[in-house]
Amino acid sequence: MNGLMMDYQLTLPTLLRRAESYNGDKEIVTRLPDKRFHRTTYAESCRRARALAVGLQNLGLKRGDRVATLCWNHYQHHEAYLGIPCGGFVLHTLNLRLHPNDLAYIATHAGDKAVIVDRSLMPLLEQFLDRTPIEHVLVVEDSYEELLASASADDWRDPELDENEAAAMCYTSGTTGMPKGVLYSHRSTMLHTLGVAAGNPMGLGVSESDSILPVVPMFHANAWGYPYLATMIGAKLVYPGQHLDPESLLDAFVQEKVTWTAGVPTIWLGILGLLDANPGKWDLAHMKGMLVGGSAAPRSMIAGFKERHGLDVVHGWGMTETSPVASTSQLPGELADVEADTQFDYIAMQGRPLPLVELRNRDVEGNILPWDGESMGELEVRGPWVAAGYYDTPEQAERWTEDGWFKTGDVVSMHPRGFIMIKDRSKDVIKSGGEWISSVELENALMAHPAIAEAAVIAIPDAKWDERPLAAVVLREGQAATAEDLRAFLEPNFAKWWLPDRYEFVAEIPKTSVGKFRKTELREMFATQPSGTGAPAPVASK
Ligand code: AMP
């Protein structure tokens, strides 16, 4: 016997209607390039999102067409987050930190038809635009405004979307090989939004009365869901624009009475350092804390914020493939009164899953491992906002188990209370300041150098960026090359922050029985000598 309930479609236009009806006067604030604060409301933002949808239809775009964004965090990007999918198109956020060659590949693979781009990022777009199928370029504060002005929000008609239609896509470089597209549906996005809205001790810990500043870029995995979450609950949003240095962020926290913020550990390490060095300079009495994720948040940082500045850190774990939030380290009630040191131990783990997300830890033979705090295996995940495949990349099917779980590539053990403890990564990628660097791409490029016989690139711990690349290089007999030569050789083809900080010339690269680089051994050899912190900034840069 079936239930007798409405087959109500979980689609993003419901968020528009709700924001307009109930939270129309709540604010969306943006730090402009000249550092002034721009203010608008949800009512106006929704009106413009509808005008954007109409404008894109007027350009001749068809349902399901991909519309890219190449933008910092600001109110126009927020309009795109709503207007593009609500118009029946697919929002494709492009990562502005990637090399133009990667962006050309990604925009082409996705089949982008249009792009919304910041004026300051036009020089980047011009480096790859002619290698993509993009037909329409909408420049923020320029042709984007003209499009909106020419399209009336009153002409907007609800396209009556099916909840399984695609709403957004985001490419991840977090595995080996070419970047891969994750294609979110309206349904998965709505359920993720509800999941992260779940109250303590589960979700992202915010409510309607909060003022939220997402530092996490809007091109990185849906800005961890904050734009949709804030729109759903009607919280004030403060977008930092391109001003991501610690001082600018702290000023914005004070000026806009920010209560909650979110970003990768590198950002917070910088902020903690500045707060420690300038006691009393910024009055953060109104602030509750921050969600930290993308890389492991160091326990010392978690303790430092709480003990010296009264700020709570909640640790989040997730992936582009999981929309992205899958777990948070919100403390359950039974840990509310334990001593602070024990609480920090728990917060430093990767937490427990959000409702509807399931996790398991399996060894190489496929056995499910117990929650004993020790047994190490690969974390697998399933749930309604977990990817079931990559866009147009069938050969990646091995990332899913036969019974339909996604293999994360994170090597974990599970604490007896069900908290994830990430120990290592099976995927050969480096995460620097919250952004991926492909070791395989660097290795291939290095091995094209005439003096190099073999090269393996590994992640080594870094105090500021979490990880930085180190290249272990075997020279051909009778050949010579210096670290400077190799850097100059790589420079034209890679973003600056991808370039290894260190080159180690070795006699041979340790290998496994099947001839693969034994990177764990290399890491052991070099990890004890942390690299410097002078690398170019992938995250905190302008
Ligand atoms: P991305 O798809 O870029 O969001 O990267 C996802 C990967 O980032 C995960 O598979 C982890 O390897 C890493 N990651 C994300 N959050 C955390 C965290 N809280 N602690 C440690 N690693 C994390």
Side-chain angles (χ1 to χ4, degrees):
M1 187 178 187
N2 287 338
L4 255 180
M5 305 307 283
M6 290 183 189
D7 183 18
Y8 183 86
Q9 295 293 295
L10 303 179
T11 60
L12 286 167
T14 58
L15 286 193
L16 269 189
R17 292 195 292 272
R18 183 176 172 83
E20 285 166 332
S21 305
Y22 297 100
N23 299 301
D25 55 351
K26 299 294 293 282
E27 274 190 308
I28 299 177
V29 180
T30 296
R31 198 98 191 248
L32 297 172
D34 65 7
K35 286 204 142 184
R36 282 178 307 127
F37 287 90
H38 170 278
R39 318 190 85 80
T40 189
T41 60
Y42 274 103
E44 176 63 3
S45 175
C46 293
R47 190 192 66 74
R48 284 168 57 90
R50 288 179 197 274
L52 172 60
V54 173
L56 293 171
Q57 283 156 4
N58 292 347
L59 284 179
L61 265 62
K62 301 272 173 303
R63 193 138 164 175
D65 276 350
R66 270 74 71 204
V67 179
T69 57
L70 191 61
C71 295
W72 294 98
N73 291 13
H74 45 52
Y75 69 97
Q76 297 96 335
H77 210 167
H78 185 91
E79 292 155 13
Y81 258 58
L82 272 306
I84 294 170
C86 287
F89 312 109
V90 181
L91 163 78
H92 176 200
T93 49
L94 290 172
N95 183 340
L96 55 87
R97 296 205 173 97
L98 295 181
H99 191 275
N101 291 347
D102 289 326
L103 288 165
Y105 170 82
I106 289 171
T108 305
H109 189 267
D112 293 339
K113 283 275 167 46
V115 62
I116 299 171
V117 55
D118 282 356
R119 206 196 304 259
S120 62
L121 295 169
M122 275 306 286
L124 173 60
L125 180 67
E126 277 158 8
Q127 289 177 63
F128 67 90
L129 181 62
D130 61 354
R131 289 180 272 160
T132 71
I134 294 172
E135 294 164 16
H136 308 280
V137 176
L138 301 165
V139 183
V140 171
E141 289 174 344
D142 194 329
S143 43
Y144 174 80
E145 280 305 320
E146 286 165 22
L147 183 86
L148 263 60
S150 71
S152 167
D154 297 337
D155 292 338
W156 192 77
R157 299 280 169 273
D158 191 327
E160 298 189 4
L161 298 159
D162 182 288
E163 64 180 12
N164 289 309
E165 280 181 66
M169 77 193 306
C170 185
Y171 275 68
T172 174
S173 314
T175 47
T176 51
M178 297 309 279
K180 283 169 276 294
V182 179
L183 199 50
Y184 310 102
S185 64
H186 280 262
R187 176 187 152 85
S188 72
T189 305
M190 290 296 285
L191 289 171
H192 178 258
T193 308
L194 280 171
V196 293
N200 284 345
M202 283 296 167
L204 299 189
V206 291
S207 66
E208 180 269 342
S209 54
D210 279 304
S211 168
I212 306 170
L213 190 151
V215 181
V216 48
M218 293 173 87
F219 54 78
H220 191 163
N222 303 311
W224 299 352
Y226 280 104
Y228 296 129
L229 170 61
T231 305
M232 181 181 272
I233 64 178
K236 173 178 169 181
L237 267 170
V238 183
Y239 284 121
Q242 61 202 76
H243 305 292
L244 303 180
D245 60 287
E247 189 131 17
S248 301
L249 287 171
L250 282 163
D251 289 344
F253 294 163
V254 174
Q255 149 114 15
E256 295 302 325
K257 293 256 181 304
V258 169
T259 56
W260 193 258
T261 177
V264 295
T266 304
I267 294 276
W268 308 120
L269 285 167
I271 288 193
L272 182 60
L274 210 55
L275 285 175
D276 286 345
N278 299 278
K281 181 165 178 192
W282 291 277
D283 178 5
L284 299 179
H286 53 275
M287 199 155 173
K288 292 191 278 191
M290 66 210 74
L291 185 85
V292 182
S295 289
R299 186 187 181 285
S300 58
M301 186 189 93
I302 295 166
F305 270 117
K306 184 70 179 176
E307 286 172 342
R308 300 198 289 281
H309 306 286
L311 293 174
D312 284 319
V313 171
V314 174
H315 203 181
W317 172 85
M319 308 177 69
T320 305
E321 290 90 335
T322 62
S323 292
V325 185
S327 73
T328 64
S329 67
Q330 300 272 18
L331 294 178
E334 65 208 35
L335 295 176
D337 299 321
V338 301
E339 59 182 15
D341 268 344
T342 308
Q343 292 185 336
F344 301 147
D345 289 343
Y346 278 96
I347 299 169
M349 297 181 221
Q350 279 72 19
R352 301 193 299 179
L354 296 182
L356 305 187
V357 173
E358 292 185 71
L359 301 172
R360 70 184 185 190
N361 180 18
R362 290 208 303 168
D363 67 14
V364 278
E365 276 101 42
N367 304 309
I368 295 184
L369 297 170
W371 292 3
D372 59 6
E374 283 175 14
S375 311
M376 285 217 282
E378 183 175 359
L379 184 67
E380 296 177 350
V381 57
R382 71 174 179 186
W385 55 84
V386 178
Y390 292 117
Y391 174 64
D392 203 12
T393 315
E395 68 275 16
Q396 282 296 317
E398 81 270 8
R399 294 295 306 275
W400 284 265
T401 66
E402 279 183 359
D403 56 347
W405 293 64
F406 177 68
K407 298 201 247 181
T408 66
D410 286 326
V411 177
V412 302
S413 54
M414 300 298 289
H415 184 275
R417 282 185 201 265
F419 279 64
I420 307 167
M421 301 152 69
I422 294 194
K423 301 286 183 184
D424 202 351
R425 267 203 311 264
S426 63
K427 40 200 179 196
D428 284 343
V429 274
I430 299 154
K431 205 158 202 197
S432 181
E435 299 280 347
W436 293 113
I437 295 174
S438 162
S439 58
V440 177
E441 272 184 57
L442 286 170
E443 285 160 8
N444 288 343
L446 281 169
M447 287 195 268
H449 189 284
I452 292 183
E454 271 184 339
V457 176
I458 54 163
I460 49 163
D462 183 279
K464 181 167 183 188
W465 302 111
D466 189 28
E467 292 178 356
R468 291 291 305 153
L470 174 150
V473 172
V474 182
L475 291 176
R476 287 183 196 283
E477 237 179 87
Q479 298 279 340
T482 63
E484 289 72 44
D485 296 337
L486 299 182
R487 189 179 168 89
F489 181 71
L490 292 177
E491 226 159 15
N493 296 317
F494 293 95
K496 219 166 156 194
W497 57 274
W498 272 47
L499 301 176
D501 290 350
R502 276 167 66 191
Y503 296 84
E504 296 286 344
F505 295 90
V506 293
E508 63 173 329
I509 307 250
K511 306 225 176 44
T512 66
S513 57
V514 290
K516 285 191 185 182
F517 292 155
R518 197 189 290 279
K519 292 198 175 178
T520 44
E521 200 168 311
L522 278 176
R523 275 189 227 133
E524 275 161 27
M525 278 163 72
F526 297 116
T528 45
Q529 317 155 25
S531 70
T533 56
V539 161
S541 65
K542 297 240 168 151

